[in-house]
Amino acid sequence: MSRSVSSIIPLRNTQTALDTTQMSRQERENTPIDLNLLALSVTKGGLSTMTGNEGNLRPITWLLLSGILPPTPSSWSASVSKMNSDYWGWVDELLESEEWWDEETWVEDGCFDSNRGDFGDDVSKSSSTAPASTSPSSSPPSPPSPLPPPPPSKTPLPPSSMLRAPTTPSQCLATEIHKDVLRTHPTISFFITPPSSRWRLSSLMRVLFVWAKLNGGVKYVQGMNEIAGVVAFVLGREDNWIQEVTSGSPLPPPPPSRLSSSHHVSPITESLTYYLTSHLLNLHLDLFTPSLDNAFTGLSSSIEKVTDGLERHDPIVYRHLEALNIEGAFYLMRWVTTLLSREFNMPDTVRIWDVFFTNNQITPYVCVAMVCLVRDEILTKDFGGCLELLQNYPMSVDVEQVVAGAKGLWVLERRVTECRDKTGWGVRECLAAVGEVKGVVMGYGWRGGIPDGDLGETIKLVGGQIKLGAREVAKDMGSVARSVGRGLLSWGKNVAKNMEESMDKASEIRKEKDRERNARMVMERMREERRRAEFERERREGFLEQQKEFMETELKNNVEGTDGGKGGRQEGGAKEKLDTETNDTIGHNPFK
Amino acid sequence: MAAKEGKDYDMHIKLLMLGDTGVGKTCLLLRYAYDSFSPTFITTIGIDFKIKHVELDGLHVKLQIWDTAGQERFRTITVSYFKGAHGVALVYDVTDRDTFEAIRHWVKQIQEHAESNVSIVLIGNKCDKEQLRMVSRAEGEELAREINAPFFETSAKTNINVEDAFNKMAVMTKNSMMLQESTSRPSDGSLMVDDPNVRLTGSGKGGCC
């Protein structure tokens, strides 16, 4: 991810550009760009170099950050192709249906060049035939109206289609836009150097006209031309970045329209200029809608957001301007509705816009920072001096200071708010706790957002607060701990009791088991003894059997021989001996 | 600071430039205030201010001229600044009939939102573009009579009548203010400019003249 981003976005100190070979092209194209990382790099000034290849990254970056290009490069081509054909479809539909519209009109030399040094208009609207019939009838006969002589050759007139006074709403709209397109960024050669200026202004004209027609509720409001102008400048200044978003594949040609053959702005540049302009206008739509002036996002509220911020961060300057009766609207109406595109030179405007694309809520902070940066001058000036300063913002102010100041204020406000929410301390204490935030000119009434006076005292105060706070926390913690402890203790006791009971039970069981085992052992011993006794008895019986057989054999022998009496006594003696032996061993006499 | 400032003029006058977009209000003002004509002109968004110090009948007058955006869209906000204006320059473009027709609409706006005693001067600008003219001088004069205003045809580009037109407006305004002062009415809101510190300091002298 990050590799992909770094391959797209040159970080300040690296020279990597789009054509980096860190990844294969295919790999790069299928990796979605991390927009957060991209925004971070842009805010830090990653695009501030506007030369060479790096300059070409801004169009793609702005289109990415505004969500017009999808984050995955491989889908750029299809998406651009669709936008291109949609835009030219609208051009075709909206312009073709207007019979009076003639592309050639807007690129006539007479329209864009000879009269540019004049009041900003209006050859297109002028008539070569004074419409005497439309003069008020109440008009007394006047000295012969100076009917226009044939125009001098140095002021060529546009084609006749544009010479009629506008009659249809579309014509009026086109005329209104035309007046301002001619007055768009007139100090930049991009818009004034022929011949390119002609087709660039013509392209701008179409972009604004199509937007106004498609947004009928708002139509065209002065200031939109300035916004579209910045977009056209950034996208059109060099358009070799187009290859990146089309992957070099040929796009379908725009639908046939009355585009002249001298149309030189790349169709894709123009359609993407439309889309990016439209994105910005839609984002700030409420600024252009009179009925929403007092709505939360309307013009008056947007102005108030700045003056409220100024009151919060630089109350001295705020009060000075208030005392001079300088209302915010006197200078902020233009700052806000043109997205600051008229207050700086073009490269600086573009740098400020980088920040807008990464944070669309930062505009009021940029405005506050701008005022704070010239505060010392403001404080020495009167009504006229202050307005002159604020309406012609000094070129000497470094745009990076403006950007840093705005970001700093944004960060400071968030940190202080967070601190207050968490601790309930005062702003002064929170500021001391938050510490220095880079770039802040004036924050909450203090230079750099750091409370002045005896800082040691402040810190001691804050320290005290912190100690106090810590003690409070500790106290709270103690009570929590106690309650937890109590809980634990009682739980522990229960556990212990349960354990005891269990142990008792276990010991009972063990005793039981011991008893059983003992009993088993006793039984075993008894069985063993019985077995042995059995064995002894059998052996004894076997012996007795033998004795008996022997004695019977003896007896038989005696009866058969002469010594019968002798044999009888011997038999009785053996019997006696046997009894004794039996009693000793078995305990009972099997002969009894 | 403001008190110091009060010392460098005798009278403070607030003037307003009104008229359709593109008639050359800003160019007229730049010509009058700085005697310059810039080939690079831009659309006025909201309000622009110029300060010009002039000597009128021995009085040092500070003119604070408010240049307004011509487009309808900004009118909801800019009409609130009509109040307190002492004089109005109503401008149209002699090469653009619509801007001339719109003057009646502007007059209505002034009647609605500005002070009743405001001085008006009608200016037909771009009179150097004779070949493109769509509004005759006579028509302009007729309309001026109708709205009871002095009439000038001017060219900011070639510097025709610009100073005269502004000076006429300044003198009319000054006289009207002094007349009002000399009738010894306590100065009401209409005589106060928007800045309480920048008040009519030559009121005593005004009474004498």
Side-chain angles (χ1 to χ4, degrees):
Chain A
M1 267 315 196
S2 62
R3 280 180 67 202
S4 173
V5 173
S6 68
S7 75
I8 296 273
I9 294 309
L11 295 167
R12 231 178 184 171
N13 300 319
T14 62
Q15 292 301 311
T16 49
L18 272 167
D19 58 354
T20 188
T21 47
Q22 284 182 335
M23 294 168 106
S24 74
R25 186 175 176 99
Q26 196 173 359
E27 194 185 354
R28 199 150 56 77
E29 289 196 339
N30 289 321
T31 311
I33 291 163
D34 186 335
L35 295 183
N36 289 330
L37 217 55
L38 180 64
L40 199 68
S41 160
V42 170
T43 317
K44 283 182 178 164
L47 294 171
S48 58
T49 321
M50 285 202 62
T51 52
N53 284 338
E54 294 184 5
N56 293 343
L57 298 172
R58 187 168 266 118
I60 295 179
T61 308
W62 283 10
L63 290 165
L64 276 169
L65 290 175
S66 53
I68 292 165
L69 280 183
T72 312
S74 56
S75 30
W76 288 353
S77 182
S79 143
V80 165
S81 172
K82 163 127 184 28
M83 286 189 278
N84 192 50
S85 85
D86 282 354
Y87 171 75
W88 288 104
W90 293 324
V91 169
D92 207 35
E93 191 186 316
L94 297 169
L95 270 59
E96 284 281 0
S97 64
E98 308 293 346
E99 283 180 6
W100 51 271
W101 183 287
D102 188 341
E103 154 79 11
E104 290 294 338
T105 303
W106 305 106
V107 295
E108 274 293 315
D109 282 343
C111 265
F112 285 94
D113 296 320
S114 321
N115 287 290
R116 268 185 79 72
D118 219 323
F119 299 100
D121 24 58
D122 283 323
V123 196
S124 60
K125 270 178 61 184
S126 337
S127 171
S128 58
T129 53
S133 57
T134 58
S135 304
S137 52
S138 61
S139 227
S142 52
S145 262
L147 283 176
S153 57
K154 69 170 208 169
T155 317
L157 280 178
S160 56
S161 61
M162 285 308 294
L163 292 177
R164 296 189 304 267
T167 48
T168 68
S170 290
Q171 267 175 292
C172 291
L173 175 66
T175 308
E176 197 180 5
I177 295 174
H178 185 226
K179 277 184 183 179
D180 287 344
V181 162
L182 288 170
R183 299 191 276 183
T184 303
H185 301 290
T187 53
I188 300 172
S189 64
F190 180 82
F191 291 113
I192 54 170
T193 310
S196 63
S197 62
R198 289 204 304 275
W199 42 263
R200 277 177 181 146
L201 293 177
S202 170
S203 162
L204 204 55
M205 175 82 202
R206 263 190 306 274
V207 164
L208 288 166
F209 184 80
V210 168
W211 193 88
K213 290 294 270 185
L214 294 180
N215 294 272
V218 182
K219 294 201 187 98
Y220 168 75
V221 173
Q222 290 183 327
M224 289 179 176
N225 60 315
E226 313 282 345
I227 292 172
V230 176
V231 175
F233 175 81
V234 168
L235 267 56
R237 192 167 158 271
E238 287 172 37
D239 54 13
N240 43 353
W241 59 273
I242 291 285
Q243 289 166 358
E244 287 292 330
V245 296
T246 56
S247 305
S249 61
L251 283 159
S257 72
R258 291 193 198 171
L259 285 183
S260 71
S261 53
S262 58
H263 177 74
H264 295 295
V265 173
S266 139
I268 294 167
T269 309
E270 185 172 323
S271 52
L272 290 179
T273 299
Y274 172 82
Y275 272 90
L276 193 51
T277 303
S278 178
H279 166 79
L280 290 167
L281 295 182
N282 289 336
L283 209 58
H284 302 281
L285 202 58
D286 295 354
L287 293 178
F288 302 111
T289 315
S291 58
L292 294 176
D293 274 352
N294 297 310
F296 183 65
T297 46
L299 181 52
S300 297
S301 312
S302 298
I303 289 170
E304 259 169 47
K305 264 178 223 162
V306 180
T307 50
D308 287 353
L310 190 62
E311 185 181 13
R312 207 160 50 237
H313 295 298
D314 202 343
I316 295 173
V317 164
Y318 175 84
R319 274 184 228 120
H320 179 73
L321 294 175
E322 195 182 39
L324 293 175
N325 279 316
I326 295 178
E327 292 179 25
F330 293 175
Y331 59 99
L332 291 170
M333 214 189 293
R334 191 178 72 202
W335 287 18
V336 169
T337 53
T338 63
L339 306 180
L340 294 170
S341 60
R342 278 262 292 267
E343 316 311 319
F344 301 92
N345 60 34
M346 188 57 98
D348 287 355
T349 302
V350 163
R351 173 69 185 110
I352 301 261
W353 276 34
D354 281 347
V355 184
F356 290 162
F357 278 106
T358 61
N359 180 348
N360 60 31
Q361 288 171 4
I362 208 166
T363 319
Y365 295 86
V366 177
C367 295
V368 172
M370 281 169 68
V371 177
C372 291
L373 279 164
V374 293
R375 70 186 304 275
D376 295 344
E377 277 180 82
I378 288 177
L379 292 175
T380 63
K381 288 187 190 300
D382 63 4
F383 180 89
C386 283
L387 273 179
E388 187 150 14
L389 179 73
L390 293 168
Q391 289 187 343
N392 305 284
Y393 196 72
M395 291 280 184
S396 55
V397 177
D398 178 9
V399 70
E400 289 303 331
Q401 272 188 306
V402 176
V403 170
K407 280 188 327 196
L409 267 189
W410 170 272
V411 171
L412 183 70
E413 253 193 29
R414 255 133 211 83
R415 287 195 187 157
V416 167
T417 308
E418 198 183 0
C419 178
R420 294 187 68 170
D421 288 350
K422 279 187 179 162
T423 61
W425 298 345
V427 170
R428 196 185 170 93
E429 290 72 37
C430 287
L431 280 171
V434 162
E436 189 178 354
V437 173
K438 235 171 74 182
V440 176
V441 186
M442 291 295 295
Y444 295 98
W446 284 288
R447 274 198 186 271
I450 299 165
D452 58 5
D454 191 348
L455 204 59
E457 271 305 305
T458 310
I459 287 170
K460 233 184 281 171
L461 179 72
V462 173
Q465 287 274 21
I466 290 174
K467 231 188 277 173
L468 202 70
R471 216 175 293 148
E472 287 293 314
V473 170
K475 227 191 289 175
D476 285 352
M477 282 296 284
S479 105
V480 170
R482 266 198 300 279
S483 105
V484 170
R486 269 198 298 276
L488 270 173
L489 205 62
S490 99
W491 176 76
K493 261 185 218 158
N494 278 342
V495 170
K497 204 165 122 198
N498 287 343
M499 285 284 281
E500 262 171 41
E501 281 170 10
S502 304
M503 277 167 70
D504 284 349
K505 267 184 203 158
S507 125
E508 288 282 311
I509 291 167
R510 202 166 46 243
K511 279 182 193 160
E512 190 73 25
K513 281 190 173 164
D514 282 351
R515 274 198 295 272
E516 269 176 31
R517 202 174 60 230
N518 288 346
R520 261 204 308 276
M521 281 168 67
V522 171
M523 297 268 284
E524 199 66 28
R525 213 180 299 144
M526 284 169 67
R527 265 201 294 273
E528 189 66 20
E529 280 174 12
R530 213 174 292 144
R531 270 202 300 278
R532 211 180 293 154
E534 195 76 11
F535 173 74
E536 198 57 36
R537 187 176 56 81
E538 280 170 9
R539 195 176 59 89
R540 177 72 58 182
E541 278 173 5
F543 173 74
L544 284 179
E545 206 61 40
Q546 281 173 6
Q547 278 283 32
K548 201 172 160 187
E549 278 174 21
F550 173 75
M551 284 174 72
E552 280 172 1
T553 314
E554 281 292 301
L555 200 59
K556 234 183 260 173
N557 288 343
N558 283 342
V559 171
E560 287 169 9
T562 50
D563 197 2
K566 207 180 165 178
R569 268 186 325 247
Q570 272 181 346
E571 190 183 20
K575 202 177 172 179
E576 242 170 74
K577 194 181 172 185
L578 181 73
D579 282 347
T580 318
E581 275 181 18
T582 306
N583 283 341
D584 280 350
T585 54
I586 316 170
H588 78 280
N589 188 356
F591 295 102
K592 277 193 185 164
Chain B
M1 206 172 313
K4 246 191 279 161
E5 186 196 43
K7 288 174 189 163
D8 53 19
Y9 58 84
D10 302 315
M11 185 183 262
H12 180 269
I13 295 179
K14 173 176 168 182
L15 303 176
L16 208 56
M17 308 281 299
L18 294 181
D20 274 7
T21 175
V23 297
K25 297 181 292 294
T26 306
C27 289
L28 279 170
L29 184 51
L30 287 174
R31 171 63 79 189
Y32 180 61
Y34 304 131
D35 193 14
S36 72
F37 180 82
S38 167
T40 59
F41 42 84
I42 45 180
T43 316
T44 306
I45 311 280
I47 308 165
D48 267 328
F49 291 79
K50 293 287 175 284
I51 302 280
K52 169 111 175 167
H53 293 264
V54 287
E55 289 288 328
L56 294 176
D57 304 328
L59 280 184
H60 189 101
V61 178
K62 180 177 180 175
L63 298 176
Q64 181 194 94
I65 311 173
W66 297 40
D67 182 20
T68 63
Q71 206 188 25
E72 180 74 34
R73 190 262 168 274
F74 297 103
R75 221 161 293 158
T76 51
I77 291 175
T78 52
V79 288
S80 61
Y81 306 122
F82 284 25
K83 250 193 167 46
H86 305 110
V88 175
L90 257 181
V91 188
Y92 68 90
D93 173 0
V94 298
T95 71
D96 185 341
R97 182 127 211 116
D98 286 346
T99 67
F100 177 70
E101 306 287 350
I103 290 293
R104 285 168 214 281
H105 167 75
W106 285 107
V107 170
K108 208 179 287 172
Q109 293 268 315
I110 294 167
Q111 284 165 352
E112 261 175 53
H113 300 285
E115 309 298 341
S116 56
N117 58 343
V118 68
S119 315
I120 299 176
V121 170
L122 183 65
I123 295 175
N125 193 30
K126 307 191 191 181
C127 70
D128 60 293
K129 290 188 186 174
E130 204 52 63
Q131 76 281 2
L132 299 172
R133 183 189 278 276
M134 287 174 76
V135 183
S136 71
R137 185 181 177 85
E139 286 174 281
E141 284 169 345
E142 168 63 20
L143 180 61
R145 268 195 294 280
E146 198 183 303
I147 63 174
N148 194 25
F151 175 64
F152 292 88
E153 281 202 343
T154 60
S155 166
K157 186 180 181 185
T158 55
N159 198 7
I160 301 169
N161 272 345
V162 177
E163 183 125 9
D164 290 349
F166 276 95
N167 282 347
K168 176 72 182 172
M169 180 162 56
V171 168
M172 275 170 65
T173 308
K174 181 202 68 151
N175 291 342
S176 145
M177 286 166 76
M178 287 167 104
L179 185 72
Q180 207 155 349
E181 279 294 292
S182 63
T183 56
S184 76
R185 251 180 7 155
S187 71
D188 61 12
S190 66
L191 281 175
M192 311 256 300
V193 290
D194 56 328
D195 181 347
N197 299 306
V198 191
R199 293 212 18 213
L200 193 64
T201 54
S203 58
K205 277 185 223 164
C208 300
C209 296

